[in-house]
Amino acid sequence: MLDRPHPTPATPSADPFALAKALSGLHFIGGAYVPARSGKTFAVVNPATGIEVARAAEGDAADVDAAVTNAAKAQKEWAKMPARKRGALVHQCAALLQEHVDELGRLIALETGKALRTESRVEANVVADVFEFFGGLGSELKGESVPFAPNVLSVTVREPLGVVGAIIPWNVPMLLMALKVAPALVAGNAVVVKSAEEAPLAVLRICEIMNRVLPPDVFNMVSGFGPECGAPLVAHPLVKKVTFTGSVETGKIIYRAAAEKLIPVTLELGGKSPMIVFADCDFDKTVSGALTSMRFTRQGQSCTAASRIYVERPIFDRFVTAMKDAVNGMVMGDPLDEKTDIGTIISQGQFDKVKGFIAEGAATAGATAHVCSRMPEDPALKKGLFLQPVIFTGLTRESRLVQEEIFGPVTVIQPFDDPEAVLAEANDSDYGLAASLWTNNLKVGLDLAHRLEAGLVQINQNLVVQANLSYGGVKQSGLGKEASLEAMLEHFTHKKTIMVNMR
Ligand code: ADP
Ligand code: MG
């Protein structure tokens, strides 16, 4: 292991507030924490209290250039290392990350407001898992031999792309960083990450942990705003691939910028994922499945949130009642408290946006807003961005709440009578990320699974992204796959053909 000085504690720290302060005002470039060249910073706020907990470096094109230039130099050596050895180093990162799960969980809970027990610590664990998975795939960077002619040996080899620019959002920043960084590195690329302005700290903490194992410069991170820091990363001539998770609107801006340079992109964008419940389902399992599908513990801030739930009419009323009861049993409170199930919305802007959707739904004729759970009573949290989950009934497909991604704790339950009709409604969406079907009739389930327009369809479960299973949407939900061997091969390497005439 490399031993380099670093300003943050190398041993797990139970105090996320101290850690947030220690990480203030820094990028991670060239194997070290460095301030923004401009000296500018912006506030990182704990959404549970409204109090500033750290400053983030406000990166611009000069910082991006330093990070990319360093990465490009380091990438050449990194690519020469045997692939399996690169994988072994990424595997070592996994072990170190596992030791820091609690620390990383607390830090991400502090900056995002996601509850430690139900979300934040879980995310930290999955990060270690993703590094472990990709760390084992070095030997899979294989090519093929191709039949051409008896006297000509034709083979393909996989080569890295160069410097990868990775732009991530705030909802699961550590996980989304890991899904991009781990495969890119194993494939022999160097990476520059642009963190999300709302949640730059936990991912910044990970840099030091990775740096204990990896060569300096192969992994860099800048923080800052989209147009000032993200756009120069996409535009930089030495960046040969961009992988992005975020909004459809920003995804299209990035796609256009990448087109100017003719570089490949992977885009993981929004979703409006349907959950279809048949009367013959295992009722209790399906109700608890709906809570996880809707990601209520993440305040619904998930691209795959089951924000459209279709329930077969005979069990509709019973299902709505059971779901309300279940969500009422969830505890909203301090994200750092182990008892808390539901934390806060990330930012005032998102809070207002989600409230706008709720007000519009509540004002719709015939609609009922079932407001669930209870606001926390702790006076220290009175300025927190807590928002009670809302289950809507009585809305129809024309409603903006059924068509648009809300990215908040709001779901719409609608009854259905006929499988063909519900399939048509489920597919009547600009998005196509994920879907789930709940039935004991596998004939019906499999038939619909084949005809749903989505990148991921699950029957009788609705798990979040899993290592080894390709994840990525169709339609406005994006381009390309993540999380799998296929994702590493297709999106972080290119195939070169080599032919040898042996006569
Ligand atoms: P939201 O603002 O709704 O959270 P975005 O898709 O705008 O979602 O943001 C996701 C990530 O993309 C963030 O890291 C953000 O800074 C970055 N970003 C925003 N605008 C641009 C842009 N024009 N070019 C590159 N990155 C951007
Ligand atoms: Mg934005």
Side-chain angles (χ1 to χ4, degrees):
M1 266 185 215
L2 302 168
D3 190 22
R4 290 188 213 102
H6 44 77
T8 66
T11 47
S13 155
D15 181 8
F17 292 89
L19 195 49
K21 280 216 174 64
L23 288 161
S24 269
L26 301 169
H27 299 304
F28 191 84
I29 300 176
Y33 286 110
V34 296
R37 272 137 190 81
S38 69
K40 286 202 225 161
T41 60
F42 62 93
V44 182
V45 174
N46 173 5
T49 59
I51 295 170
E52 179 178 314
V53 289
R55 308 287 302 174
E58 190 176 328
D60 60 21
D63 300 306
V64 168
D65 183 56
V68 174
T69 309
N70 283 345
K73 273 192 226 117
Q75 192 266 329
K76 302 236 165 6
E77 287 306 307
W78 179 242
K80 285 183 202 154
M81 188 185 283
R84 219 179 123 189
K85 170 84 175 146
R86 288 196 302 263
L89 295 181
V90 168
H91 214 272
Q92 281 184 37
C93 293
L96 286 176
L97 288 163
Q98 193 65 56
E99 289 171 20
H100 290 267
V101 157
D102 199 60
E103 176 197 345
L104 291 168
R106 285 174 194 281
L107 193 55
I108 200 90
L110 179 67
E111 64 183 331
T112 63
K114 294 192 299 181
L116 179 62
R117 190 190 87 255
T118 56
E119 284 290 331
S120 292
R121 201 185 282 118
V122 178
E123 182 183 352
N125 265 304
V126 179
V127 167
D129 186 56
V130 168
F131 272 76
E132 185 186 68
F133 169 70
F134 282 110
L137 295 185
S139 318
E140 294 299 323
L141 290 150
K142 295 179 279 201
E144 300 122 348
S145 79
V146 184
F148 177 72
N151 61 317
V152 179
L153 174 70
S154 304
V155 296
T156 60
V157 293
R158 296 256 176 206
E159 294 187 344
L161 300 172
V163 178
V164 171
I167 300 177
I168 56 173
W170 48 260
N171 64 331
V172 264
M174 296 194 293
L175 168 61
L176 296 172
M177 185 209 82
L179 289 177
K180 294 166 171 35
V181 164
L185 287 176
V186 173
N189 304 281
V191 186
V192 177
V193 177
K194 207 295 272 173
S195 59
E197 40 275 59
E198 297 85 352
L201 299 175
V203 286
L204 190 61
R205 176 69 187 105
I206 289 178
C207 296
E208 183 276 316
I209 297 170
M210 291 175 66
N211 191 52
R212 286 185 229 161
V213 174
L214 298 172
D217 295 316
V218 297
F219 178 72
N220 301 265
M221 181 172 293
V222 290
S223 59
F225 298 103
E228 293 77 18
C229 188
L233 180 60
V234 179
H236 198 290
L238 292 174
V239 169
K240 303 298 184 192
K241 153 94 198 189
V242 173
T243 171
F244 168 79
T245 301
S247 64
V248 177
E249 188 191 4
T250 302
K252 288 180 181 173
I253 293 172
I254 287 172
Y255 200 11
R256 281 187 211 106
E260 283 303 317
K261 289 164 56 185
L262 223 58
I263 59 165
V265 293
T266 305
L267 303 172
E268 297 292 349
L269 310 177
K272 191 75 191 173
S273 302
M275 168 170 182
I276 302 174
V277 179
F278 286 89
D280 74 341
C281 70
D282 289 343
F283 188 83
D284 293 343
K285 186 179 154 192
T286 307
V287 171
S288 75
L291 297 205
T292 38
S293 296
M294 187 40 219
R295 320 276 184 250
F296 277 121
T297 53
R298 204 191 294 160
Q299 298 74 256
Q301 300 170 135
S302 162
C303 318
T304 50
S307 49
R308 298 185 285 152
I309 304 181
Y310 299 94
V311 181
E312 207 171 6
R313 199 170 306 269
I315 61 165
F316 180 80
D317 290 337
R318 191 174 151 225
F319 189 88
V320 172
T321 304
M323 235 187 117
K324 280 194 302 193
D325 290 348
V327 184
N328 277 329
M330 296 175 86
V331 177
M332 276 173 85
D334 180 356
L336 288 164
D337 187 336
E338 299 281 352
K339 289 195 288 295
T340 298
D341 296 313
I342 302 178
T344 70
I345 302 295
I346 184 80
S347 65
Q348 189 68 49
Q350 281 297 123
F351 188 84
D352 295 342
K353 190 179 147 208
V354 178
K355 290 272 267 195
F357 274 108
I358 294 170
E360 184 173 323
T364 305
T368 308
H370 308 270
V371 180
C372 302
S373 191
R374 277 181 312 282
M375 292 294 276
E377 279 158 21
D378 184 350
L381 304 176
K382 70 176 186 301
K383 290 209 175 117
L385 299 173
F386 293 93
L387 187 57
Q388 285 172 278
V390 184
I391 297 170
F392 274 100
T393 52
L395 289 172
T396 55
R397 68 206 288 175
E398 295 74 34
S399 167
R400 221 163 57 89
L401 281 78
V402 176
Q403 291 295 337
E404 294 182 23
E405 183 174 46
I406 300 174
F407 227 69
V410 182
T411 192
V412 179
I413 313 188
Q414 299 169 79
F416 74 89
D417 298 297
D418 167 52
E420 288 306 318
V422 78
L423 178 72
E425 284 214 32
N427 284 341
D428 176 24
S429 170
D430 293 339
Y431 295 106
L433 190 54
S436 68
L437 293 154
W438 302 75
T439 175
N440 278 310
N441 185 340
L442 271 188
K443 199 169 154 219
V444 171
L446 275 173
D447 173 46
L448 293 188
H450 279 97
R451 292 192 289 146
L452 274 165
E453 295 165 1
L456 171 66
V457 181
Q458 300 181 62
I459 300 179
N460 295 334
Q461 64 170 29
N462 202 0
L463 306 175
V464 294
V465 54
Q466 301 289 318
N468 204 18
L469 291 161
S470 275
Y471 174 82
V474 296
K475 304 201 276 189
Q476 299 286 298
S477 291
L479 292 173
K481 300 290 177 194
E482 293 197 294
S484 60
L485 173 62
E486 172 202 1
M488 178 177 82
L489 297 178
E490 297 305 314
H491 300 306
F492 293 114
T493 72
H494 75 90
K495 245 189 211 176
K496 178 188 278 178
T497 300
I498 299 177
M499 300 171 88
V500 187
N501 188 323
M502 297 178 293
R503 192 170 289 158

